[in-house]
Amino acid sequence: MRHSRRQTQPIVRRWPVGRTTATALAVALSAGAYGAQFIVETLFAGQPAHSILRDWLALDKGVIQSGEWWKFLSFGLLHADPVHLVANLLLLFLAGRELEPIVGPRHFATIYVAGNILGGLTHWTFMRAQPLVGISAGVAAVIVAYTTILPELEVTFHLLFVLPMRLRAKHLAWVLVATCGVCWWTNTASEIGPAGMIAGALFGWAYVKQLGYGNPLAIQRYIFDRRQRAARLARMSPEQFVTAEIDPILEKIAEHGVNSLTRAERKILEQGRGKLNSKAPQK
């Protein structure tokens, strides 16, 4: 995933010089953990000990009954196969290197870690028949957080790592969520946790929204417009209020009758009466 050359790059904070970033640490940890997993599974191929790490670390349906609570964290240390690992680390690196300079390492780590844990809980709730491994939910949280902060940014990515596609960042997030939804519905790729990825994506979106990033929601725009209109009406003099607000309502009454007024128009009349009364000289 990279920015389109035709688009001006956003201004973000530079990477700290001489200090390891949280993104690099997350990538290194996952790579090292899978290296250990690969060695164990290769050395013990065909033996009962082959699946010892999955038995101890993967998030399975019996985690509550067995009291193995650590699996709600440890499943992120494993991956289904090398393709799963490479896809996660590549996406994590590409999105993380853009997100971390904007929100800072602390918020980045919160989005990534909490998104993955929430994804594990969601997978265990809805798809527990298949053990869960990997950091896909955390990666989804990072990607959607990035696309929420820069929704109009045009990015280029390679579908299946082959076919180049160019999308606005917000559309990329919708594609990710829709793909996970289809996989969840069809019970496809359940080991990587499509339900958990949706939960992680929602968490990443909500987290950066509460930080103040991203486009306002429709309800936020509605509330803002109402407040702006109320403030504008309050600043009007009685004469301005009558000309701009009362006269059109009176014309409507003359043409269609009082019963045609909406609730908002009746409220405007009440507000106009208050303004005119406040102007009237006190006896």
Side-chain angles (χ1 to χ4, degrees):
M1 177 170 44
R2 65 176 185 275
H3 302 128
S4 170
R5 293 180 180 177
R6 299 182 301 174
Q7 186 162 351
T8 302
Q9 302 302 312
I11 298 175
V12 298
R13 290 181 289 174
R14 294 182 178 274
W15 285 82
V17 177
R19 188 175 67 184
T20 304
T21 64
T23 301
L25 287 174
V27 170
L29 176 61
S30 291
Y34 184 76
Q37 177 188 351
F38 181 81
I39 292 173
V40 170
E41 292 181 347
T42 301
L43 290 177
F44 296 100
Q47 302 179 34
H50 173 265
S51 60
I52 186 172
L53 290 181
R54 291 178 183 263
D55 295 338
W56 275 92
L57 302 178
L59 181 60
D60 53 46
K61 62 182 179 181
V63 61
I64 301 296
Q65 293 83 348
S66 61
E68 298 170 332
W69 300 93
W70 66 84
K71 292 184 176 180
F72 284 109
L73 296 173
S74 63
F75 71 91
L77 298 174
L78 305 178
H79 279 81
D81 50 50
V83 174
H84 184 205
L85 173 77
V86 171
N88 272 342
L89 295 192
L90 183 61
L91 292 172
L92 177 62
F93 174 74
L94 293 176
R97 69 176 182 178
E98 303 293 341
L99 177 65
E100 185 180 347
I102 299 174
V103 301
R106 180 172 60 87
H107 288 304
F108 168 82
T110 301
I111 293 169
Y112 171 65
V113 176
N116 208 54
I117 294 174
L118 180 61
L121 290 170
T122 304
H123 177 90
W124 183 83
T125 302
F126 296 104
M127 303 183 70
R128 68 181 68 177
Q130 175 65 49
L132 175 67
V133 295
I135 55 172
S136 298
V139 173
V142 170
I143 292 174
V144 173
Y146 165 61
T147 60
T148 301
I149 292 174
L150 300 171
E152 303 301 327
L153 182 69
E154 193 175 71
V155 296
T156 300
F157 71 100
H158 290 79
L159 184 64
L160 301 177
F161 303 99
V162 176
L163 181 64
M165 297 187 66
R166 182 173 292 152
L167 288 174
R168 292 193 182 278
K170 60 183 179 182
H171 297 149
L172 178 61
W174 280 113
V175 168
L176 172 64
V177 172
T179 302
C180 292
V182 171
C183 291
W184 184 4
W185 180 262
T186 59
N187 201 31
T188 303
S190 57
E191 191 174 16
I192 68 174
M197 291 177 67
I198 293 177
L202 291 175
F203 174 79
W205 169 80
Y207 190 91
V208 294
K209 288 294 290 184
Q210 63 87 26
L211 290 179
Y213 293 104
N215 293 334
L217 301 175
I219 184 64
Q220 291 175 314
R221 290 194 296 268
Y222 172 75
I223 294 173
F224 177 79
D225 291 342
R226 284 196 60 179
R227 289 176 177 173
Q228 289 291 97
R229 174 174 169 77
R232 180 175 62 83
L233 294 179
R235 290 194 301 267
M236 285 183 177
S237 67
E239 294 78 9
Q240 292 173 327
F241 193 90
V242 169
T243 302
E245 302 294 335
I246 301 297
D247 286 349
I249 297 177
L250 295 179
E251 291 177 3
K252 182 177 180 180
I253 294 175
E255 293 180 5
H256 305 288
V258 176
N259 292 333
S260 65
L261 296 182
T262 65
R263 182 178 178 181
E265 290 169 336
R266 295 175 187 273
K267 187 175 180 180
I268 288 293
L269 290 178
E270 291 292 333
Q271 190 173 354
R273 183 180 296 114
K275 277 186 172 288
L276 293 175
N277 289 339
S278 65
K279 182 185 178 184
Q282 300 292 330
K283 293 183 179 180

PDB file of all heavy atoms in Angstrom, residues 103-134:
ATOM      1  N   VAL A 103      -0.269   9.491  15.186  1.00  0.00           N
ATOM      2  CA  VAL A 103      -0.891   9.346  16.510  1.00  0.00           C
ATOM      3  C   VAL A 103       0.125   9.122  17.618  1.00  0.00           C
ATOM      4  O   VAL A 103      -0.220   9.231  18.799  1.00  0.00           O
ATOM      5  CB  VAL A 103      -1.919   8.193  16.500  1.00  0.00           C
ATOM      6  CG1 VAL A 103      -3.002   8.440  15.475  1.00  0.00           C
ATOM      7  CG2 VAL A 103      -1.245   6.835  16.249  1.00  0.00           C
ATOM      8  N   GLY A 104       1.341   8.779  17.267  1.00  0.00           N
ATOM      9  CA  GLY A 104       2.360   8.512  18.278  1.00  0.00           C
ATOM     10  C   GLY A 104       2.435   7.032  18.626  1.00  0.00           C
ATOM     11  O   GLY A 104       1.474   6.278  18.420  1.00  0.00           O
ATOM     12  N   PRO A 105       3.565   6.581  19.162  1.00  0.00           N
ATOM     13  CA  PRO A 105       3.745   5.148  19.445  1.00  0.00           C
ATOM     14  C   PRO A 105       2.792   4.592  20.491  1.00  0.00           C
ATOM     15  O   PRO A 105       2.382   3.437  20.412  1.00  0.00           O
ATOM     16  CB  PRO A 105       5.206   5.059  19.915  1.00  0.00           C
ATOM     17  CG  PRO A 105       5.562   6.439  20.344  1.00  0.00           C
ATOM     18  CD  PRO A 105       4.773   7.366  19.467  1.00  0.00           C
ATOM     19  N   ARG A 106       2.420   5.406  21.485  1.00  0.00           N
ATOM     20  CA  ARG A 106       1.533   4.900  22.538  1.00  0.00           C
ATOM     21  C   ARG A 106       0.153   4.589  21.972  1.00  0.00           C
ATOM     22  O   ARG A 106      -0.403   3.518  22.227  1.00  0.00           O
ATOM     23  CB  ARG A 106       1.433   5.915  23.679  1.00  0.00           C
ATOM     24  CG  ARG A 106       0.528   5.466  24.816  1.00  0.00           C
ATOM     25  CD  ARG A 106       0.641   6.421  25.990  1.00  0.00           C
ATOM     26  NE  ARG A 106       0.254   7.773  25.632  1.00  0.00           N
ATOM     27  CZ  ARG A 106      -1.015   8.212  25.685  1.00  0.00           C
ATOM     28  NH1 ARG A 106      -1.980   7.392  26.073  1.00  0.00           N
ATOM     29  NH2 ARG A 106      -1.298   9.458  25.363  1.00  0.00           N
ATOM     30  N   HIS A 107      -0.401   5.503  21.216  1.00  0.00           N
ATOM     31  CA  HIS A 107      -1.719   5.266  20.632  1.00  0.00           C
ATOM     32  C   HIS A 107      -1.661   4.155  19.574  1.00  0.00           C
ATOM     33  O   HIS A 107      -2.593   3.347  19.454  1.00  0.00           O
ATOM     34  CB  HIS A 107      -2.270   6.550  20.012  1.00  0.00           C
ATOM     35  CG  HIS A 107      -2.691   7.574  21.019  1.00  0.00           C
ATOM     36  ND1 HIS A 107      -3.610   7.308  22.010  1.00  0.00           N
ATOM     37  CD2 HIS A 107      -2.321   8.870  21.186  1.00  0.00           C
ATOM     38  CE1 HIS A 107      -3.788   8.397  22.747  1.00  0.00           C
ATOM     39  NE2 HIS A 107      -3.013   9.347  22.271  1.00  0.00           N
ATOM     40  N   PHE A 108      -0.567   4.117  18.823  1.00  0.00           N
ATOM     41  CA  PHE A 108      -0.424   3.043  17.834  1.00  0.00           C
ATOM     42  C   PHE A 108      -0.429   1.686  18.520  1.00  0.00           C
ATOM     43  O   PHE A 108      -1.129   0.753  18.089  1.00  0.00           O
ATOM     44  CB  PHE A 108       0.871   3.217  17.041  1.00  0.00           C
ATOM     45  CG  PHE A 108       1.232   2.009  16.222  1.00  0.00           C
ATOM     46  CD1 PHE A 108       0.652   1.794  14.982  1.00  0.00           C
ATOM     47  CD2 PHE A 108       2.126   1.061  16.715  1.00  0.00           C
ATOM     48  CE1 PHE A 108       0.958   0.664  14.230  1.00  0.00           C
ATOM     49  CE2 PHE A 108       2.443  -0.072  15.971  1.00  0.00           C
ATOM     50  CZ  PHE A 108       1.856  -0.265  14.725  1.00  0.00           C
ATOM     51  N   ALA A 109       0.357   1.557  19.599  1.00  0.00           N
ATOM     52  CA  ALA A 109       0.418   0.282  20.311  1.00  0.00           C
ATOM     53  C   ALA A 109      -0.944  -0.089  20.896  1.00  0.00           C
ATOM     54  O   ALA A 109      -1.339  -1.263  20.880  1.00  0.00           O
ATOM     55  CB  ALA A 109       1.467   0.355  21.419  1.00  0.00           C
ATOM     56  N   THR A 110      -1.677   0.894  21.393  1.00  0.00           N
ATOM     57  CA  THR A 110      -3.011   0.623  21.937  1.00  0.00           C
ATOM     58  C   THR A 110      -3.946   0.114  20.853  1.00  0.00           C
ATOM     59  O   THR A 110      -4.698  -0.850  21.059  1.00  0.00           O
ATOM     60  CB  THR A 110      -3.590   1.892  22.578  1.00  0.00           C
ATOM     61  OG1 THR A 110      -2.717   2.337  23.623  1.00  0.00           O
ATOM     62  CG2 THR A 110      -4.972   1.624  23.153  1.00  0.00           C
ATOM     63  N   ILE A 111      -3.937   0.764  19.705  1.00  0.00           N
ATOM     64  CA  ILE A 111      -4.793   0.341  18.590  1.00  0.00           C
ATOM     65  C   ILE A 111      -4.461  -1.081  18.176  1.00  0.00           C
ATOM     66  O   ILE A 111      -5.359  -1.921  17.995  1.00  0.00           O
ATOM     67  CB  ILE A 111      -4.628   1.308  17.408  1.00  0.00           C
ATOM     68  CG1 ILE A 111      -5.195   2.684  17.760  1.00  0.00           C
ATOM     69  CG2 ILE A 111      -5.312   0.760  16.151  1.00  0.00           C
ATOM     70  CD1 ILE A 111      -4.847   3.764  16.767  1.00  0.00           C
ATOM     71  N   TYR A 112      -3.183  -1.376  18.038  1.00  0.00           N
ATOM     72  CA  TYR A 112      -2.749  -2.679  17.556  1.00  0.00           C
ATOM     73  C   TYR A 112      -3.025  -3.790  18.570  1.00  0.00           C
ATOM     74  O   TYR A 112      -3.660  -4.800  18.246  1.00  0.00           O
ATOM     75  CB  TYR A 112      -1.261  -2.602  17.222  1.00  0.00           C
ATOM     76  CG  TYR A 112      -0.615  -3.932  16.919  1.00  0.00           C
ATOM     77  CD1 TYR A 112      -0.993  -4.677  15.807  1.00  0.00           C
ATOM     78  CD2 TYR A 112       0.380  -4.447  17.757  1.00  0.00           C
ATOM     79  CE1 TYR A 112      -0.408  -5.894  15.533  1.00  0.00           C
ATOM     80  CE2 TYR A 112       0.984  -5.665  17.487  1.00  0.00           C
ATOM     81  CZ  TYR A 112       0.583  -6.383  16.377  1.00  0.00           C
ATOM     82  OH  TYR A 112       1.170  -7.597  16.115  1.00  0.00           O
ATOM     83  N   VAL A 113      -2.587  -3.594  19.808  1.00  0.00           N
ATOM     84  CA  VAL A 113      -2.721  -4.647  20.822  1.00  0.00           C
ATOM     85  C   VAL A 113      -4.179  -4.834  21.233  1.00  0.00           C
ATOM     86  O   VAL A 113      -4.698  -5.958  21.253  1.00  0.00           O
ATOM     87  CB  VAL A 113      -1.842  -4.333  22.045  1.00  0.00           C
ATOM     88  CG1 VAL A 113      -2.065  -5.373  23.143  1.00  0.00           C
ATOM     89  CG2 VAL A 113      -0.369  -4.295  21.643  1.00  0.00           C
ATOM     90  N   ALA A 114      -4.847  -3.735  21.578  1.00  0.00           N
ATOM     91  CA  ALA A 114      -6.245  -3.853  22.004  1.00  0.00           C
ATOM     92  C   ALA A 114      -7.135  -4.342  20.869  1.00  0.00           C
ATOM     93  O   ALA A 114      -8.076  -5.112  21.095  1.00  0.00           O
ATOM     94  CB  ALA A 114      -6.744  -2.500  22.515  1.00  0.00           C
ATOM     95  N   GLY A 115      -6.833  -3.919  19.630  1.00  0.00           N
ATOM     96  CA  GLY A 115      -7.605  -4.407  18.491  1.00  0.00           C
ATOM     97  C   GLY A 115      -7.464  -5.907  18.315  1.00  0.00           C
ATOM     98  O   GLY A 115      -8.447  -6.601  18.012  1.00  0.00           O
ATOM     99  N   ASN A 116      -6.267  -6.433  18.534  1.00  0.00           N
ATOM    100  CA  ASN A 116      -6.067  -7.871  18.391  1.00  0.00           C
ATOM    101  C   ASN A 116      -6.741  -8.655  19.519  1.00  0.00           C
ATOM    102  O   ASN A 116      -7.336  -9.715  19.292  1.00  0.00           O
ATOM    103  CB  ASN A 116      -4.571  -8.199  18.357  1.00  0.00           C
ATOM    104  CG  ASN A 116      -4.274  -9.451  17.573  1.00  0.00           C
ATOM    105  OD1 ASN A 116      -4.665  -9.569  16.415  1.00  0.00           O
ATOM    106  ND2 ASN A 116      -3.587 -10.402  18.179  1.00  0.00           N
ATOM    107  N   ILE A 117      -6.668  -8.121  20.738  1.00  0.00           N
ATOM    108  CA  ILE A 117      -7.329  -8.794  21.863  1.00  0.00           C
ATOM    109  C   ILE A 117      -8.844  -8.798  21.660  1.00  0.00           C
ATOM    110  O   ILE A 117      -9.517  -9.821  21.869  1.00  0.00           O
ATOM    111  CB  ILE A 117      -6.962  -8.104  23.181  1.00  0.00           C
ATOM    112  CG1 ILE A 117      -5.469  -8.286  23.478  1.00  0.00           C
ATOM    113  CG2 ILE A 117      -7.800  -8.647  24.330  1.00  0.00           C
ATOM    114  CD1 ILE A 117      -4.988  -7.517  24.679  1.00  0.00           C
ATOM    115  N   LEU A 118      -9.398  -7.652  21.265  1.00  0.00           N
ATOM    116  CA  LEU A 118     -10.834  -7.578  21.008  1.00  0.00           C
ATOM    117  C   LEU A 118     -11.229  -8.524  19.883  1.00  0.00           C
ATOM    118  O   LEU A 118     -12.283  -9.175  19.936  1.00  0.00           O
ATOM    119  CB  LEU A 118     -11.232  -6.147  20.665  1.00  0.00           C
ATOM    120  CG  LEU A 118     -12.713  -5.911  20.365  1.00  0.00           C
ATOM    121  CD1 LEU A 118     -13.563  -6.268  21.581  1.00  0.00           C
ATOM    122  CD2 LEU A 118     -12.954  -4.465  19.955  1.00  0.00           C
ATOM    123  N   GLY A 119     -10.371  -8.632  18.869  1.00  0.00           N
ATOM    124  CA  GLY A 119     -10.640  -9.578  17.789  1.00  0.00           C
ATOM    125  C   GLY A 119     -10.666 -11.008  18.282  1.00  0.00           C
ATOM    126  O   GLY A 119     -11.508 -11.812  17.854  1.00  0.00           O
ATOM    127  N   GLY A 120      -9.751 -11.344  19.201  1.00  0.00           N
ATOM    128  CA  GLY A 120      -9.749 -12.686  19.770  1.00  0.00           C
ATOM    129  C   GLY A 120     -11.020 -12.980  20.552  1.00  0.00           C
ATOM    130  O   GLY A 120     -11.598 -14.067  20.436  1.00  0.00           O
ATOM    131  N   LEU A 121     -11.462 -12.018  21.340  1.00  0.00           N
ATOM    132  CA  LEU A 121     -12.700 -12.203  22.100  1.00  0.00           C
ATOM    133  C   LEU A 121     -13.901 -12.381  21.175  1.00  0.00           C
ATOM    134  O   LEU A 121     -14.787 -13.206  21.424  1.00  0.00           O
ATOM    135  CB  LEU A 121     -12.924 -10.997  23.016  1.00  0.00           C
ATOM    136  CG  LEU A 121     -11.964 -10.856  24.202  1.00  0.00           C
ATOM    137  CD1 LEU A 121     -12.137  -9.499  24.876  1.00  0.00           C
ATOM    138  CD2 LEU A 121     -12.169 -11.975  25.206  1.00  0.00           C
ATOM    139  N   THR A 122     -13.917 -11.608  20.087  1.00  0.00           N
ATOM    140  CA  THR A 122     -15.022 -11.715  19.127  1.00  0.00           C
ATOM    141  C   THR A 122     -15.001 -13.059  18.419  1.00  0.00           C
ATOM    142  O   THR A 122     -16.048 -13.700  18.242  1.00  0.00           O
ATOM    143  CB  THR A 122     -14.938 -10.575  18.097  1.00  0.00           C
ATOM    144  OG1 THR A 122     -14.929  -9.313  18.777  1.00  0.00           O
ATOM    145  CG2 THR A 122     -16.114 -10.625  17.131  1.00  0.00           C
ATOM    146  N   HIS A 123     -13.824 -13.504  18.018  1.00  0.00           N
ATOM    147  CA  HIS A 123     -13.711 -14.809  17.369  1.00  0.00           C
ATOM    148  C   HIS A 123     -14.154 -15.916  18.322  1.00  0.00           C
ATOM    149  O   HIS A 123     -14.901 -16.827  17.915  1.00  0.00           O
ATOM    150  CB  HIS A 123     -12.266 -15.053  16.935  1.00  0.00           C
ATOM    151  CG  HIS A 123     -12.053 -16.398  16.314  1.00  0.00           C
ATOM    152  ND1 HIS A 123     -12.189 -16.622  14.964  1.00  0.00           N
ATOM    153  CD2 HIS A 123     -11.721 -17.607  16.862  1.00  0.00           C
ATOM    154  CE1 HIS A 123     -11.956 -17.896  14.704  1.00  0.00           C
ATOM    155  NE2 HIS A 123     -11.665 -18.515  15.845  1.00  0.00           N
ATOM    156  N   TRP A 124     -13.710 -15.836  19.571  1.00  0.00           N
ATOM    157  CA  TRP A 124     -14.093 -16.869  20.539  1.00  0.00           C
ATOM    158  C   TRP A 124     -15.609 -16.863  20.771  1.00  0.00           C
ATOM    159  O   TRP A 124     -16.210 -17.906  21.018  1.00  0.00           O
ATOM    160  CB  TRP A 124     -13.364 -16.635  21.850  1.00  0.00           C
ATOM    161  CG  TRP A 124     -13.635 -17.693  22.871  1.00  0.00           C
ATOM    162  CD1 TRP A 124     -13.026 -18.918  22.987  1.00  0.00           C
ATOM    163  CD2 TRP A 124     -14.608 -17.641  23.907  1.00  0.00           C
ATOM    164  NE1 TRP A 124     -13.554 -19.618  24.027  1.00  0.00           N
ATOM    165  CE2 TRP A 124     -14.529 -18.870  24.616  1.00  0.00           C
ATOM    166  CE3 TRP A 124     -15.526 -16.688  24.313  1.00  0.00           C
ATOM    167  CZ2 TRP A 124     -15.354 -19.140  25.707  1.00  0.00           C
ATOM    168  CZ3 TRP A 124     -16.339 -16.959  25.395  1.00  0.00           C
ATOM    169  CH2 TRP A 124     -16.252 -18.173  26.080  1.00  0.00           C
ATOM    170  N   THR A 125     -16.241 -15.717  20.656  1.00  0.00           N
ATOM    171  CA  THR A 125     -17.681 -15.617  20.868  1.00  0.00           C
ATOM    172  C   THR A 125     -18.474 -16.193  19.705  1.00  0.00           C
ATOM    173  O   THR A 125     -19.474 -16.895  19.910  1.00  0.00           O
ATOM    174  CB  THR A 125     -18.081 -14.147  21.081  1.00  0.00           C
ATOM    175  OG1 THR A 125     -17.362 -13.614  22.210  1.00  0.00           O
ATOM    176  CG2 THR A 125     -19.581 -14.017  21.332  1.00  0.00           C
ATOM    177  N   PHE A 126     -18.028 -15.935  18.469  1.00  0.00           N
ATOM    178  CA  PHE A 126     -18.846 -16.269  17.300  1.00  0.00           C
ATOM    179  C   PHE A 126     -18.290 -17.406  16.437  1.00  0.00           C
ATOM    180  O   PHE A 126     -19.046 -18.019  15.680  1.00  0.00           O
ATOM    181  CB  PHE A 126     -19.023 -15.027  16.409  1.00  0.00           C
ATOM    182  CG  PHE A 126     -19.772 -13.915  17.070  1.00  0.00           C
ATOM    183  CD1 PHE A 126     -19.104 -12.804  17.557  1.00  0.00           C
ATOM    184  CD2 PHE A 126     -21.142 -13.986  17.219  1.00  0.00           C
ATOM    185  CE1 PHE A 126     -19.793 -11.763  18.163  1.00  0.00           C
ATOM    186  CE2 PHE A 126     -21.853 -12.952  17.826  1.00  0.00           C
ATOM    187  CZ  PHE A 126     -21.172 -11.842  18.304  1.00  0.00           C
ATOM    188  N   MET A 127     -16.984 -17.685  16.517  1.00  0.00           N
ATOM    189  CA  MET A 127     -16.391 -18.688  15.625  1.00  0.00           C
ATOM    190  C   MET A 127     -15.446 -19.605  16.400  1.00  0.00           C
ATOM    191  O   MET A 127     -14.405 -20.014  15.896  1.00  0.00           O
ATOM    192  CB  MET A 127     -15.638 -18.000  14.478  1.00  0.00           C
ATOM    193  CG  MET A 127     -16.467 -17.054  13.637  1.00  0.00           C
ATOM    194  SD  MET A 127     -15.535 -16.336  12.243  1.00  0.00           S
ATOM    195  CE  MET A 127     -15.349 -17.769  11.185  1.00  0.00           C
ATOM    196  N   ARG A 128     -15.805 -19.957  17.610  1.00  0.00           N
ATOM    197  CA  ARG A 128     -14.876 -20.673  18.479  1.00  0.00           C
ATOM    198  C   ARG A 128     -14.584 -22.097  18.039  1.00  0.00           C
ATOM    199  O   ARG A 128     -13.674 -22.729  18.557  1.00  0.00           O
ATOM    200  CB  ARG A 128     -15.418 -20.692  19.906  1.00  0.00           C
ATOM    201  CG  ARG A 128     -16.658 -21.531  20.108  1.00  0.00           C
ATOM    202  CD  ARG A 128     -17.147 -21.484  21.542  1.00  0.00           C
ATOM    203  NE  ARG A 128     -17.653 -20.166  21.890  1.00  0.00           N
ATOM    204  CZ  ARG A 128     -18.186 -19.879  23.072  1.00  0.00           C
ATOM    205  NH1 ARG A 128     -18.276 -20.809  24.011  1.00  0.00           N
ATOM    206  NH2 ARG A 128     -18.644 -18.675  23.317  1.00  0.00           N
ATOM    207  N   ALA A 129     -15.354 -22.638  17.095  1.00  0.00           N
ATOM    208  CA  ALA A 129     -15.108 -24.012  16.647  1.00  0.00           C
ATOM    209  C   ALA A 129     -13.734 -24.162  16.018  1.00  0.00           C
ATOM    210  O   ALA A 129     -13.133 -25.237  16.059  1.00  0.00           O
ATOM    211  CB  ALA A 129     -16.192 -24.443  15.661  1.00  0.00           C
ATOM    212  N   GLN A 130     -13.202 -23.078  15.448  1.00  0.00           N
ATOM    213  CA  GLN A 130     -11.888 -23.110  14.813  1.00  0.00           C
ATOM    214  C   GLN A 130     -10.896 -22.330  15.660  1.00  0.00           C
ATOM    215  O   GLN A 130     -11.118 -21.153  15.957  1.00  0.00           O
ATOM    216  CB  GLN A 130     -11.960 -22.490  13.416  1.00  0.00           C
ATOM    217  CG  GLN A 130     -10.615 -22.365  12.713  1.00  0.00           C
ATOM    218  CD  GLN A 130      -9.993 -23.713  12.409  1.00  0.00           C
ATOM    219  OE1 GLN A 130     -10.645 -24.588  11.869  1.00  0.00           O
ATOM    220  NE2 GLN A 130      -8.720 -23.871  12.747  1.00  0.00           N
ATOM    221  N   PRO A 131      -9.780 -22.941  16.119  1.00  0.00           N
ATOM    222  CA  PRO A 131      -8.778 -22.194  16.884  1.00  0.00           C
ATOM    223  C   PRO A 131      -8.259 -20.995  16.097  1.00  0.00           C
ATOM    224  O   PRO A 131      -8.121 -21.047  14.872  1.00  0.00           O
ATOM    225  CB  PRO A 131      -7.673 -23.228  17.116  1.00  0.00           C
ATOM    226  CG  PRO A 131      -8.373 -24.546  17.026  1.00  0.00           C
ATOM    227  CD  PRO A 131      -9.432 -24.368  15.983  1.00  0.00           C
ATOM    228  N   LEU A 132      -7.974 -19.931  16.806  1.00  0.00           N
ATOM    229  CA  LEU A 132      -7.526 -18.683  16.185  1.00  0.00           C
ATOM    230  C   LEU A 132      -6.042 -18.471  16.414  1.00  0.00           C
ATOM    231  O   LEU A 132      -5.538 -18.657  17.519  1.00  0.00           O
ATOM    232  CB  LEU A 132      -8.308 -17.500  16.770  1.00  0.00           C
ATOM    233  CG  LEU A 132      -7.877 -16.109  16.301  1.00  0.00           C
ATOM    234  CD1 LEU A 132      -8.185 -15.926  14.819  1.00  0.00           C
ATOM    235  CD2 LEU A 132      -8.574 -15.038  17.134  1.00  0.00           C
ATOM    236  N   VAL A 133      -5.346 -18.053  15.354  1.00  0.00           N
ATOM    237  CA  VAL A 133      -3.937 -17.667  15.452  1.00  0.00           C
ATOM    238  C   VAL A 133      -3.725 -16.400  14.630  1.00  0.00           C
ATOM    239  O   VAL A 133      -4.469 -16.107  13.713  1.00  0.00           O
ATOM    240  CB  VAL A 133      -2.994 -18.783  14.935  1.00  0.00           C
ATOM    241  CG1 VAL A 133      -3.068 -20.015  15.807  1.00  0.00           C
ATOM    242  CG2 VAL A 133      -3.308 -19.140  13.479  1.00  0.00           C
ATOM    243  N   GLY A 134      -2.692 -15.649  15.001  1.00  0.00           N
ATOM    244  CA  GLY A 134      -2.292 -14.514  14.187  1.00  0.00           C
ATOM    245  C   GLY A 134      -2.711 -13.159  14.728  1.00  0.00           C
ATOM    246  O   GLY A 134      -3.452 -13.044  15.703  1.00  0.00           O
TER     247      GLY A 134
END
